[in-house]
Amino acid sequence: MATSIGHVLAKVLGIKLNYREPTGTGGLTRGESAFSVSTADTYVEEEPTALEWIQHITPSPRGIANWAYHLFPFTHWITRYNAQWLFGDLVAGITVGCVVVPQSMAYAKLAALPVEFGLYSSFMGVLIYWFFATSKDITIGPVAVMSLIVGNVVLKVKKTNPELAPNVVASALAIICGAIIVFIGLIRMGWIVEFISLAAISAFMTGSALNIAVGQVPNLMGITGFDTRAATYKVVINILKHLGRTKLDAATGLTALVMLYGIRAICNLFAKRVPSRAKMFFFISTLRTAFVILLYTLISYLVNRHHRPTKQNKFVITGPVPRGFKHAAVPTVTKTIIKSFASELPASVIVLLIEHIAIAKSFGRINNYTIDPSQEMVAIGVTNLLGPFLGAYPATGSFSRTAIKSKAGVRTPFAGVITALVVLLAIYALPAVFFYIPSSALAAVIIHAVLDLITPPNTVYQFWLISPLEVVIFFAGVIVTIFTTIEIGVYVTVATSAALLLFRVAKARGRFLGKVTVHSVVGDHHLDGDRKDGYGTFDGRDPNEGLRNIFLPMSHNDGSNPEVAVESPYPGIFIYRFSEGYNYPNANHYLDFMVAGIFKQTRRTNPNSYGRPGDRPWNDPGPRRGQLAYDHSDRPTLKAIILDFSSVNNVDVTSIQHLIDVRNQLDRYAAPSKVDWHIACINNRWTRRALATAGFGYPTPPDDGVVLDRWKPIFSVAEIGGDASAATVAQRRDNELRRQRTQDVEEQRSKSIAHDNIAHETGSTSSSDLAKELGTSQVYSKRGAKVAVVQGLNRPLFHIDLTNALQSAIANVERRQEIEGKDLGTKLI
């Protein structure tokens, strides 16, 4: 009933259900296949349906339950937590805690917030993340780049809405960013970060590091009187102009910076000279930040202890730090606040995502585990949603602390809880100590941390060797960041990476392939599958033995040896490979190149198709008056085209329409003959459906309506249960191993009890039984094997590989020439 109604509606609306009848008159037969129905299973490929696609993407109850289960990855391993894991997590957690406390306070200054907000952000980041983590190494908390962006937002809002407290703005920014990122993660769209290339990330990190480091130099030197958040080049100029204002802060700042680098260099040197103590020197180097801050806090206390009630300190210090979570409250998020930083939201979300995901993926590869980008987004989002309730500002993964955590031997994400306890201890026990921390020492900590984010020259050189165009993107991003802002630098690097991707897709060029006959060689031996040992030599053997055909670009632009001659597949037959997908951006470029190449190498089938000069099209006016027409009689006529779809996953309406247009164009070029289109290596059922709907996959019906009843299909078949089947090969291998083990046992018995007749008879009986078992095995059966076609019989011009496609194309061309020759002979008679 539903089908009848559908047909009626289609007729009323003028919809052609059979867009193109595959065989013209429906009289097409299987033809002269090498296998009969008794030996080959008939397989007709079914087209995918829209309902099938909907069912595929619609989550099942089991899928929903699995999604919910994976929202809390800690449940996968927490029940097997053990003492050995706990020890590793304790060491790593305490180590990171000693680093994160001074770093977070320094980054809070960068965010234009009091130092305690950095501690709040660190505490909430490490405490919440482990519930949702798919990485054991990541440490979430304040980072330099995000802190700078938060600082820019806070100062901008302060100018337009001075009544809004800085921490209120920062918390609202965290809430909104967290909500956006949680949503992306929950709908499992973590793959969007893949569109940001490594070169773009490196450029953004390098430019940001330079921006931050230069901006902290005035704090390091005690220089004031200008905007340290201006463009990097302006800050450099102002530093040079105001060097005369340097204060005593430079003594603590510069020496702290030198000490940080000095301790690291000495520890690295001794770790190389005394490898047995490398772990000890690693921990000493890791704790250098805490040591330097404590040392200069002590110096600051000794210098400024008599000046605490006044503002006459010898150098700038942190000042009062409240004990505990004094700013804990429900975050204020209003329309006015959101409007005030709406323009910075895209950059903030991008920074939160790319820095965290890039770090997580990198350490996942180093430590042999795989992260889930979507789940990591959930972790970042929830952290930033809940953190502001205790006063936190936007936080994400930290590269430096993650590297320390990984090297310290962390075993599970639970190490974050240990770090949270260390931070909590600092929040409640050390505020009095924090009062005397020199601001210049915190600036030194920031500079020391961010300079490690600069991409080394050797890495840039490796970029150049791999992809010179991406080096241009890298330097463009760095230069833009230096001369404008970090936000603009983020947009430029992401946009240029996307533009490069689109350019490569749109300008992808296909390749005409030719045939080369090759041997497989190991050393001076060739591989031969028919030999028992699998090897042979080139001496005293049939030169055609063990050969196979491969297909290489005719132009050798793939790097293959240009001295190897690539043969044309067959006169008038072309093999064309798409190099980078086939969709609407590149369809026209692909096919224009293909058609131009075919025209250069072939001639029109009917050279007299234009009776008079006026019949010719304007773009092919022919020779000038009085000149002879070009003689292309040495070129073949176009007979068939083989398309290699191995790199094509999906097609669209535009790309298929281009194929239809080119097919019609080439049919006119080859008239009165028709061009056969063979398509190999199709990887997607929907692509097959689209091509079949457009009339590809079967021979083109002739214009006169004659039934194609003697075409020559060639199908690929596989054995089911025969000698070449996978199951039989596996069974044969197992039998051979059993036979070899039995022979080894018998040899050992013969050597140990050579004169024991009873043992000898037992061994003979064992050998006889095994031989009998192997002899009756299905592997050694001489009965005929059953075979089945690999692909559908209803799509004879869709092929499993290029070899099959070329065989089919040649067979049908020769068959057509044979029939045309007979027809010509009949006419002559």
Side-chain angles (χ1 to χ4, degrees):
M1 181 66 180
T3 304
S4 300
I5 295 175
H7 282 284
V8 172
L9 287 175
K11 188 172 182 179
V12 171
L13 297 174
I15 299 174
K16 297 180 180 179
L17 296 179
N18 293 325
Y19 174 70
R20 181 173 185 266
E21 177 62 34
T23 60
T25 61
L28 190 65
T29 66
R30 282 186 65 196
E32 300 169 349
S33 176
F35 294 91
S36 65
V37 177
S38 62
T39 58
D41 283 351
T42 299
Y43 168 65
V44 177
E45 181 182 349
E46 295 183 1
E47 292 184 348
T49 62
L51 179 61
E52 180 183 338
W53 179 78
I54 293 173
Q55 291 174 344
H56 176 71
I57 65 170
T58 302
S60 62
R62 183 185 180 91
I64 295 173
N66 188 55
W67 172 80
Y69 173 66
H70 283 87
L71 279 178
F72 303 96
F74 79 96
T75 57
H76 305 176
W77 52 265
I78 194 66
T79 55
R80 291 181 290 278
Y81 201 79
N82 54 65
Q84 190 173 352
W85 288 2
L86 177 61
F87 178 77
D89 289 344
L90 276 172
V91 173
I94 294 172
T95 303
V96 173
C98 295
V99 175
V100 73
V101 169
Q103 273 195 357
S104 61
M105 296 171 66
Y107 292 153
K109 301 285 283 185
L110 198 59
L113 297 170
V115 295
E116 61 266 24
F117 288 95
L119 296 173
Y120 303 156
S121 299
S122 297
F123 174 76
M124 291 300 290
V126 293
L127 182 64
I128 297 172
Y129 174 70
W130 79 278
F131 285 98
F132 307 93
T134 61
S135 169
K136 69 180 179 65
D137 300 297
I138 283 287
T139 299
I140 286 188
V143 296
V145 180
M146 194 64 226
S147 296
L148 182 62
I149 292 177
V150 171
N152 293 339
V153 170
V154 166
L155 295 177
K156 175 184 174 182
V157 174
K158 188 176 181 180
K159 293 179 181 178
T160 56
N161 302 87
E163 72 281 1
L164 295 175
N167 62 299
V168 171
V169 176
S171 294
L173 179 63
I175 290 284
I176 301 302
C177 289
I180 293 171
I181 295 172
V182 162
F183 175 74
I184 296 173
L186 289 177
I187 63 175
R188 291 304 189 241
M189 286 186 62
W191 48 266
I192 63 173
V193 298
E194 307 295 343
F195 287 98
I196 304 175
S197 68
L198 178 59
I201 295 173
S202 300
F204 147 71
M205 296 300 289
T206 300
S208 301
L210 292 172
N211 185 298
I212 294 168
V214 170
Q216 287 302 304
V217 170
N219 295 329
L220 186 79
M221 306 285 289
I223 303 173
T224 57
F226 58 91
D227 182 13
T228 60
R229 294 177 181 270
T232 306
Y233 78 99
K234 292 182 178 179
V235 177
V236 172
I237 293 172
N238 285 324
I239 289 172
L240 296 176
K241 288 170 62 176
H242 297 86
L243 270 178
R245 297 183 182 178
T246 302
K247 299 177 182 177
L248 187 60
D249 299 72
T252 55
L254 290 175
T255 54
L257 185 61
V258 171
M259 186 173 293
L260 287 169
Y261 279 105
I263 294 174
R264 186 173 72 176
I266 292 171
C267 288
N268 290 341
L269 178 63
F270 278 98
K272 292 179 181 178
R273 291 189 176 182
V274 190
S276 60
R277 300 284 185 178
K279 197 75 172 178
M280 180 188 71
F281 289 116
F282 161 74
F283 283 109
I284 294 174
S285 177
T286 297
L287 298 175
R288 66 185 180 276
T289 302
F291 169 74
V292 168
I293 289 296
L294 288 175
L295 174 62
Y296 280 89
T297 301
L298 175 61
I299 295 173
S300 175
Y301 168 74
L302 296 175
V303 172
N304 295 304
R305 58 180 174 172
H306 298 300
H307 303 281
R308 180 166 182 169
T310 68
K311 295 183 179 180
Q312 299 177 356
N313 298 309
K314 298 297 182 181
F315 39 78
V316 180
I317 58 176
T318 302
V321 177
R323 186 185 307 274
F325 297 94
K326 299 298 184 182
H327 301 278
V330 176
T332 302
V333 181
T334 64
K335 188 176 180 180
T336 303
I337 296 176
I338 295 175
K339 278 186 176 181
S340 65
F341 57 67
S343 59
E344 276 76 22
L345 264 179
S348 301
V349 172
I350 291 172
V351 171
L352 285 173
L353 288 181
I354 63 176
E355 190 167 359
H356 180 97
I357 301 299
I359 295 168
K361 284 185 176 181
S362 176
F363 281 90
R365 296 187 189 103
I366 292 171
N367 295 310
N368 196 28
Y369 62 85
T370 303
I371 66 129
D372 180 354
S374 296
Q375 183 59 31
E376 289 297 312
M377 289 186 181
V378 172
I380 304 169
V382 172
T383 299
N384 284 286
L385 278 173
L386 299 181
F389 286 88
L390 290 184
Y393 68 89
T396 188
S398 165
F399 178 80
S400 60
R401 297 193 294 273
T402 298
I404 290 170
K405 191 176 181 182
S406 177
K407 291 180 181 178
V410 64
R411 303 303 300 272
T412 72
F414 187 74
V417 177
I418 310 300
T419 302
L421 293 176
V422 175
V423 177
L424 187 65
L425 179 66
I427 291 173
Y428 278 95
L430 300 179
V433 177
F434 296 155
F435 180 92
Y436 287 102
I437 296 177
S439 295
S440 56
L442 292 178
V445 169
I446 294 174
I447 293 172
H448 180 64
V450 300
L451 288 182
D452 290 337
L453 300 179
I454 295 177
T455 305
N458 182 60
T459 302
V460 178
Y461 177 66
Q462 296 299 321
F463 288 172
W464 174 261
L465 295 178
I466 296 169
S467 177
L469 275 177
E470 292 193 85
V471 176
V472 176
I473 293 176
F474 172 82
F475 282 111
V478 173
I479 292 171
V480 168
T481 304
I482 290 175
F483 284 91
T484 56
T485 63
I486 289 179
E487 292 84 352
I488 295 176
V490 170
Y491 298 143
V492 167
T493 53
V494 172
T496 50
S497 295
L500 177 60
L501 174 64
L502 290 175
F503 175 80
R504 285 174 170 169
V505 170
K507 291 300 180 180
R509 178 172 293 185
R511 295 171 177 173
F512 287 100
L513 304 183
K515 185 175 64 174
V516 177
T517 303
V518 299
H519 303 270
S520 293
V521 178
V522 176
D524 59 348
H525 291 72
H526 72 277
L527 292 175
D528 179 7
D530 296 332
R531 296 178 63 95
K532 184 176 180 180
D533 58 0
Y535 295 90
T537 64
F538 286 103
D539 299 328
R541 62 182 292 272
D542 184 353
N544 294 322
E545 183 183 357
L547 300 180
R548 74 179 194 281
N549 291 327
I550 63 171
F551 299 90
L552 297 177
M554 301 288 291
S555 60
H556 288 287
N557 57 3
D558 63 335
S560 56
N561 189 349
E563 295 183 4
V564 175
V566 180
E567 301 176 4
S568 174
Y570 188 88
I573 296 179
F574 295 88
I575 303 177
Y576 189 70
R577 172 178 290 167
F578 297 112
S579 60
E580 199 165 342
Y582 178 64
N583 296 101
Y584 70 91
N586 55 27
N588 190 66
H589 191 260
Y590 266 136
L591 297 183
D592 282 352
F593 180 76
M594 184 188 76
V595 170
I598 290 174
F599 283 172
K600 288 180 182 178
Q601 301 177 60
T602 60
R603 60 181 172 85
R604 189 178 290 275
T605 303
N606 183 7
N608 300 318
S609 56
Y610 302 123
R612 297 175 300 175
D615 295 335
R616 302 184 71 95
W618 67 272
N619 59 332
D620 183 19
R624 294 183 180 276
R625 188 180 300 274
Q627 294 182 350
L628 296 176
Y630 298 113
D631 183 15
H632 297 314
S633 58
D634 57 324
R635 299 180 183 177
T637 57
L638 178 61
K639 299 177 178 66
I641 295 173
I642 300 171
L643 298 179
D644 182 357
F645 264 51
S646 57
S647 65
V648 178
N649 188 39
N650 293 291
V651 293
D652 49 52
V653 173
T654 306
S655 59
I656 291 297
Q657 185 60 50
H658 277 297
L659 269 181
I660 294 171
D661 294 342
V662 169
R663 179 183 62 195
N664 296 336
Q665 177 187 7
L666 295 181
D667 278 346
R668 290 191 295 269
Y669 178 73
S673 299
K674 294 290 185 180
V675 180
D676 289 337
W677 290 75
H678 299 259
I679 304 179
C681 309
I682 305 175
N683 302 313
N684 188 304
R685 292 178 63 210
W686 285 93
T687 300
R688 289 174 180 275
R689 168 176 159 162
L691 291 168
T693 300
F696 297 93
Y698 29 78
T700 303
D703 294 332
D704 55 10
V706 177
V707 178
L708 294 174
D709 58 349
R710 305 308 297 168
W711 56 285
K712 291 180 71 71
I714 294 181
F715 301 104
S716 295
V717 298
E719 288 191 12
I720 303 177
D723 287 347
S725 67
T728 303
V729 171
Q731 187 175 353
R732 183 187 296 113
R733 186 184 303 112
D734 182 62
N735 289 342
E736 292 295 339
L737 290 174
R738 292 174 61 192
R739 188 198 300 275
Q740 184 62 42
R741 285 197 294 268
T742 302
Q743 291 176 352
D744 293 342
V745 170
E746 290 177 356
E747 290 177 2
Q748 292 176 1
R749 288 177 176 174
S750 299
K751 291 179 181 178
S752 61
I753 48 175
H755 302 290
D756 192 337
N757 294 329
I758 297 176
H760 178 71
E761 291 174 2
T762 303
S764 299
T765 303
S766 175
S767 177
S768 177
D769 291 343
L770 180 63
K772 183 178 180 180
E773 180 183 350
L774 297 179
T776 58
S777 174
Q778 184 182 357
V779 176
Y780 299 98
S781 175
K782 302 299 183 182
R783 291 175 295 176
K786 185 180 180 182
V787 296
V789 291
V790 178
Q791 294 184 306
L793 297 176
N794 57 329
R795 302 284 181 255
L797 300 190
F798 289 164
H799 304 282
I800 193 69
D801 59 10
L802 288 177
T803 299
N804 183 260
L806 181 58
Q807 291 171 345
S808 179
I810 293 174
N812 281 282
V813 167
E814 291 179 346
R815 178 63 174 167
R816 182 183 300 168
Q817 291 175 343
E818 179 183 347
I819 294 174
E820 290 175 354
K822 290 181 180 179
D823 292 342
L824 180 61
T826 303
K827 291 179 180 179
L828 291 176
I829 291 174

